[in-house]
Amino acid sequence: MCSIVGINGKFSCSDVEVMLETLKHRGPDGYGIYTDGNIYYNCFDDINSCDDGFIMAHNLLSIVGDVKLQPFKCGDLTIVANAELYNYKQLIDDFNLDIDASSCSDCEIIVEIIERNYNGNLYDAVIKSIDVFDGDYAFAITDGCDYIVMRDNYGIKPLYYGCNSDKFAFASEQKALKSIGITDIENLNPRCMIYNDKIIKYRSEPKRDIFYDDYNTAVEDLKDALTQSVAKRVEDLESVAVLFSAGVDSSIVVQILKNLEKDIQLYTVGVENSQDLKVARNVASDMHLPLNEWVIDQEVVENYFYDTIDTIESNNIMKIGVGMTIKLTSKLAHDDGYKVMLTGQGADELFAGYNRYAKKYDTPDLLYQELECDLNNIYNVNLERDDKSAMSNSVELRVPFLDFNVVDVAVQMPYNYLIHSNDDKIRKHILRDVALKLGLPEDVAKRPKKAAQYATGIDKTIRKKLLKKDEYRKLIEN
């Protein structure tokens, strides 16, 4: 993965340079710039120092092998992309692309396919192409006249935009926009695209309205969808890192990896005697898998407090607790040489994992509405935080539960497959039955949920220790 940035309007070379430098942690392996029909790699010297028009740029994080620098040009089209396509081999075959699957960039595939549908109208070409891409992406594409910026169905890859009196700009993180003086910043809704500075809705939200009527069929379909989702996210990886809490979500991911006979490394953090550490140690031992752990204390939480706020671009205490958990865990993985990490994020919003869902058991319509709302806003609530926390260590998070096919199966679940009463302490029942089918022991499959920031002890340390000090309390209050 990587980062993308762009400006339409008045810009200087230094604007783009500072944006790329601000996001270098997302792509330390090189950069490229497109402006005025020309492409430049790892060099600003030949670009006009100031211009009025469109410019876009890219930082590269090379995950597998030597990936080419972006932007890419194909015919009249040029693209920069933060993309991971899981069906790239199928697309190369289906569209008979003259691309070497062993060394290609997903960006190449995206622009080649859109170019196949291009007939002078960029919007039409993108709309005709977008549904074939199975993966996590955010990209900007231009034909020299128009430009479009968009992201994947659920917003797994972050994308922000903003403007001031003389420019409209977009970037993978808010801090890049702030670095050039833009403060009125929005998170792009995944159902919308930026089309020549305008926000246009082009996708509909997933709905819960067609339901399974056979439980066993639903279990099998969900098991198959999850297995395929994990498999395609690790196809090119020799060894796989997993953000591991030992809850049912991350344990399912690990069990599927075991069934696929992958080399697995588990990573977890927590204060001494925290729930996540204790349970993760036991489960990892039972599964005969190595657990890489970081036993943290108040000093570690203090040392990473400001850095986490800067990383997630929020001073919300709950987000800080989760963000720090992911930041520290991904640092362990990075230090071991990993550039990709799998996570169980998304399962709670799909299968009613939070306690507040059970409270609506007696009003199914309201429960469905809340589940739909949470899924449609997960990009703004959780995914942006998680991506930025991991990418601060140049580690890409992959989210098997938010695979398109998994979501399609999940939204067909009747509420009574998920929750059994308004006092249900377990919830996510069909997911837990899938866990048993995959081979997880019952005590793991049935383990009640506890939020990451609480289970690691980080949230308690912040609230009970740090917020007693004025410097931290004032920062949160502001």
Side-chain angles (χ1 to χ4, degrees):
M1 285 297 183
C2 41
S3 66
I4 62 174
V5 301
I7 300 172
N8 192 39
K10 199 76 173 178
F11 66 85
S12 66
C13 246
S14 60
D15 287 336
V16 181
E17 191 167 8
V18 73
M19 291 175 82
L20 288 175
E21 184 63 29
T22 301
L23 299 185
K24 192 173 181 179
H25 57 276
R26 298 185 65 91
D29 298 324
Y31 65 86
I33 307 103
Y34 164 90
T35 183
D36 197 26
N38 298 308
I39 295 175
Y40 308 88
Y41 297 120
N42 293 330
C43 179
F44 280 94
D45 295 343
D46 298 326
I47 306 175
N48 292 332
S49 61
C50 191
D51 205 347
D52 191 356
F54 180 71
I55 187 169
M56 61 185 185
H58 177 271
N59 278 323
L60 174 68
L61 172 62
S62 177
I63 291 176
V64 180
D66 295 323
V67 179
K68 304 168 189 173
L69 290 172
Q70 299 183 36
F72 281 118
K73 187 173 180 62
C74 181
D76 294 319
L77 308 183
T78 308
I79 192 171
V80 292
N82 175 14
E84 189 69 40
L85 296 184
Y86 303 118
N87 63 338
Y88 72 97
K89 292 180 181 178
Q90 178 186 336
L91 292 175
I92 291 173
D93 291 339
D94 289 350
F95 288 86
N96 195 27
L97 302 178
D98 186 19
I99 292 177
D100 182 358
S102 65
S103 62
C104 72
S105 162
D106 295 333
C107 180
E108 286 181 90
I109 295 171
I110 293 172
V111 71
E112 287 261 1
I113 291 175
I114 295 175
E115 200 274 338
R116 294 280 182 95
N117 289 312
Y118 181 72
N119 192 23
N121 188 310
L122 182 62
Y123 178 84
D124 286 350
V126 169
I127 293 299
K128 288 177 183 176
S129 308
I130 197 66
D131 287 342
V132 305
F133 302 134
D134 177 12
D136 313 329
Y137 56 81
F139 67 80
I141 188 167
T142 182
D143 60 1
C145 297
D146 301 314
Y147 82 92
I148 287 175
V149 187
M150 63 195 314
R151 63 199 299 199
D152 57 77
N153 297 52
Y154 308 111
I156 294 170
K157 294 298 126 191
L159 192 59
Y160 299 89
Y161 65 91
C163 61
N164 57 23
S165 60
D166 61 1
K167 64 173 67 74
F168 185 102
F170 58 89
S172 294
E173 294 185 17
Q174 295 181 56
K175 56 177 65 71
L177 299 174
K178 293 176 182 177
S179 72
I180 59 170
I182 292 178
T183 56
D184 185 14
I185 300 170
E186 298 288 341
N187 195 347
L188 181 66
N189 188 312
R191 270 68 64 183
C192 298
M193 67 167 65
I194 302 169
Y195 180 58
N196 296 337
D197 300 358
K198 296 179 181 178
I199 310 303
I200 298 176
K201 185 173 182 179
Y202 72 102
R203 280 188 183 127
S204 59
E205 293 83 0
K207 298 288 184 182
R208 290 181 179 259
D209 53 8
I210 301 174
F211 300 118
Y212 280 96
D213 57 10
D214 182 81
Y215 188 77
N216 291 330
T217 300
V219 169
E220 288 299 321
D221 285 355
L222 180 56
K223 178 173 72 71
D224 291 345
L226 280 169
T227 299
Q228 293 166 15
S229 174
V230 172
K232 63 189 178 185
R233 280 163 174 76
V234 299
E235 182 179 359
D236 296 327
L237 302 179
E238 294 181 2
S239 182
V240 184
V242 181
L243 200 162
F244 189 62
S245 68
V248 66
D249 308 333
S250 60
S251 295
I252 282 176
V253 173
V254 172
Q255 185 62 43
I256 292 173
L257 290 170
K258 278 196 71 176
N259 296 346
L260 294 170
E261 298 183 345
K262 285 287 184 178
D263 176 61
I264 308 164
Q265 293 288 328
L266 308 180
Y267 291 88
T268 192
V269 302
V271 302
E272 190 62 77
N273 298 317
S274 62
Q275 179 176 313
D276 268 11
L277 270 182
K278 290 189 290 187
V279 178
R281 287 167 180 166
N282 292 335
V283 175
S285 176
D286 290 344
M287 298 180 81
H288 307 290
L289 291 172
L291 178 67
N292 304 275
E293 61 181 56
W294 187 350
V295 181
I296 60 176
D297 54 20
Q298 182 179 337
E299 182 180 3
V300 174
V301 176
E302 287 198 51
N303 287 342
Y304 279 89
F305 187 77
Y306 289 105
D307 190 25
T308 299
I309 289 175
D310 179 65
T311 292
I312 67 174
E313 303 175 305
S314 171
N315 65 346
N316 177 283
I317 292 183
M318 290 183 66
K319 286 191 174 187
I320 295 170
V322 179
M324 190 179 297
T325 299
I326 297 171
K327 189 176 182 69
L328 298 179
T329 311
S330 60
K331 184 180 187 307
L332 287 179
H334 170 81
D335 291 347
D336 285 345
Y338 287 96
K339 294 185 177 182
V340 171
M341 191 174 221
L342 268 61
T343 173
Q345 181 61 269
D348 290 313
E349 290 79 5
L350 289 173
F351 303 103
Y354 301 124
N355 185 54
R356 56 185 165 86
Y357 294 131
K359 304 304 181 185
K360 293 183 172 62
Y361 178 81
D362 295 326
T363 53
D365 287 345
L366 293 179
L367 173 59
Y368 292 140
Q369 289 176 21
E370 185 165 358
L371 287 167
E372 288 176 3
C373 180
D374 288 350
L375 177 59
N376 291 328
N377 286 285
I378 191 172
Y379 74 98
N380 206 24
V381 177
N382 295 337
L383 296 180
E384 58 154 16
R385 171 202 64 207
D386 298 355
D387 177 273
K388 288 182 284 191
S389 297
M391 288 298 286
S392 68
N393 293 304
S394 300
V395 174
E396 172 199 320
L397 275 189
R398 295 187 181 173
V399 193
F401 281 98
L402 291 178
D403 180 85
F404 186 83
N405 292 326
V406 174
V407 174
D408 187 52
V409 170
V411 296
Q412 298 180 59
M413 299 296 174
Y415 74 100
N416 57 319
Y417 287 14
L418 312 176
I419 302 172
H420 290 170
S421 73
N422 57 17
D423 191 34
D424 192 338
K425 298 295 191 296
I426 301 294
R427 305 176 295 281
K428 294 193 288 193
H429 288 282
I430 192 166
L431 189 61
R432 298 177 188 279
D433 286 339
V434 167
L436 294 172
K437 283 267 187 181
L438 288 167
L440 281 170
E442 186 167 358
D443 61 328
V444 177
K446 302 294 184 179
R447 179 192 171 197
K449 176 181 176 56
K450 191 167 186 180
Q453 69 271 27
Y454 305 131
T456 60
I458 290 176
D459 186 86
K460 184 177 181 180
T461 302
I462 292 173
R463 293 178 187 271
K464 300 290 186 180
K465 303 292 186 181
L466 270 63
L467 295 189
K468 289 184 177 179
K469 301 180 180 181
D470 287 344
E471 59 180 303
Y472 298 112
R473 187 176 64 254
K474 288 178 181 178
L475 180 61
I476 297 299
E477 289 173 350
N478 290 334

